[in-house]
Amino acid sequence: MDLIRNIKSNLRLTVQIVFTALTNGYFLGFAKGKIYQGDSKQLCVPGLNCYSCPGAIGSCPIGSLQAVLGSRNFKFSFYIIGFLMMVGAFVGRFVCGWLCPFGLVQDLLYKIPFIKKIKKVPLDKPLRYLKYVILVVFVIIMPLTLTNFAGEGNPWFCKLICPSGTLLGGVPLVSMNSSLRKIIGPLFTWKMFILVSVVILSIKIYRPFCKYLCPLGAIYGLFNKYSLYKYEIDEDKCTKCGLCERKCDMNVAVYKTPNSAECIRCGKCIKVCPRGAIKTTFTKTKEAACNSKCSGCKSNCASKN
């Protein structure tokens, strides 16, 4: 019973761990230091799950998109574009909050205690647009235009930026293969610098990669307002007390913009709302009893219950 109770109280963390284990379930790959190349690698998984991870049984949609755009034979993939649109149309950035392996890594790093957290990052708002710049420049334009003599482009985001690929793919492969260690150069050093920087920042800032750098989150965020799964505010119950905004680690004013492109659907705002004013299109929350400690409650709050 205690196990079931713990799972329910940590449902999102449980789902994150289980999904990460399932999509990186080729444990023999970690043991041998080799990339799994089975048929399932032709399919994409929803999150930022590196193709080069020894345990990955599926492909990252961002890596796959770059590979297709950089190919001389294919400039458009109905499968990859359709996959991204389908996932986005159904759940939006729910993937970021519940299914992405690198999101899990950042969540765990942020839980490290005894280190002062930074809630408000300087230049936070303009920095949020950086992930869209990375999406357009590194994921789309560069693979299309910077090609070799054979007309083949590179997956530039994976090659130059992606810390998830470095952590889940590069580090395990290099540590298990002496031949790779012999050819480590400036590029791997640069990628390790980015990874270490993101790790350090993730201890102090909640999900800095998701907020400022992730092109996959940028794509899914575009669907948040239109996805089948979204948040709704019951205006009759909402007192605009601001508890949802203060609780949100992504700094979203939920009562104002419940379907912000920055929302990762973690559900913390739903749990903290004293009036049960936040619900989803899939499940309705039970009306909560009035919390007298909420400074934003109206005087007639209790009489409505």
Side-chain angles (χ1 to χ4, degrees):
M1 291 298 294
D2 289 338
L3 177 61
I4 296 175
R5 195 177 298 112
N6 288 333
I7 291 176
K8 286 183 177 180
S9 61
N10 296 282
L11 179 61
R12 187 168 75 95
L13 179 61
T14 302
V15 172
Q16 287 176 291
I17 293 173
V18 170
F19 193 81
T20 297
L22 288 175
T23 53
N24 295 276
Y26 184 64
F27 301 110
L28 205 58
F30 288 107
K32 295 183 176 181
K34 294 183 178 180
I35 300 173
Y36 176 72
Q37 295 180 331
D39 292 339
S40 62
K41 269 294 181 71
Q42 299 177 41
L43 303 176
C44 290
V45 295
L48 201 70
N49 201 84
C50 184
Y51 180 96
S52 297
C53 173
I57 60 174
S59 296
C60 170
I62 290 295
S64 300
L65 180 60
Q66 293 172 95
V68 170
L69 292 176
S71 170
R72 64 179 180 178
N73 297 320
F74 303 98
K75 295 299 182 184
F76 186 86
S77 171
F78 288 103
Y79 166 68
I80 298 171
I81 299 297
F83 177 84
L84 289 169
M85 292 181 66
M86 180 187 71
V87 174
F90 272 99
V91 295
R93 288 197 76 177
F94 174 90
V95 172
C96 305
W98 291 73
L99 305 179
C100 182
F102 200 63
L104 169 62
V105 171
Q106 292 174 90
D107 280 349
L108 295 176
L109 288 170
Y110 192 71
K111 290 179 182 292
I112 295 177
F114 312 119
I115 295 177
K116 185 177 180 180
K117 310 300 180 181
I118 301 174
K119 183 70 174 179
K120 294 185 178 180
V121 177
L123 301 176
D124 174 73
K125 288 186 177 180
L127 284 173
R128 301 271 183 159
Y129 292 100
L130 184 56
K131 58 181 173 286
Y132 297 100
V133 174
I134 290 174
L135 170 63
V136 173
V137 176
F138 287 88
V139 177
I140 298 175
I141 294 179
M142 289 177 67
L144 280 172
T145 58
L146 300 182
T147 57
N148 58 23
F149 67 92
E152 299 282 346
N154 283 307
W156 291 104
F157 171 73
C158 300
K159 190 172 183 178
L160 298 178
I161 299 177
C162 186
S164 177
T166 306
L167 176 65
L168 301 176
V171 172
L173 290 176
V174 168
S175 63
M176 294 294 293
N177 292 276
S178 59
S179 58
L180 291 178
R181 291 196 294 272
K182 293 177 182 178
I183 59 174
I184 287 178
L187 180 59
F188 187 77
T189 303
W190 165 252
K191 290 292 295 294
M192 285 299 299
F193 170 75
I194 292 180
L195 173 60
V196 171
S197 299
V198 170
V199 167
I200 293 173
L201 288 173
S202 296
I203 298 173
K204 296 181 67 66
I205 302 169
Y206 185 75
R207 290 197 177 209
F209 179 75
C210 299
K211 287 180 178 177
Y212 309 122
L213 301 176
C214 183
L216 186 57
I219 293 174
Y220 289 147
L222 296 174
F223 291 90
N224 262 10
K225 289 184 179 180
Y226 315 103
S227 61
L228 292 178
Y229 179 81
K230 53 180 179 284
Y231 286 179
E232 296 177 346
I233 303 296
D234 188 330
E235 298 293 343
D236 293 331
K237 295 180 181 179
C238 181
T239 62
K240 298 178 174 58
C241 65
L243 282 176
C244 55
E245 182 178 6
R246 293 195 291 274
K247 184 65 175 178
C248 180
D249 290 316
M250 295 297 286
N251 306 116
V252 175
V254 184
Y255 67 96
K256 294 179 181 178
T257 54
N259 296 298
S260 164
E262 301 301 323
C263 176
I264 60 172
R265 313 297 199 213
C266 68
K268 291 180 181 178
C269 58
I270 295 176
K271 292 181 179 180
V272 78
C273 181
R275 294 283 293 151
I278 308 171
K279 61 182 180 180
T280 75
T281 50
F282 287 179
T283 57
K284 294 183 178 180
T285 58
K286 295 180 180 179
E287 184 170 329
C290 178
N291 182 351
S292 60
K293 295 181 181 180
C294 173
S295 60
C297 285
K298 296 179 181 179
S299 58
N300 64 344
C301 177
S303 64
K304 291 184 178 181
N305 284 322

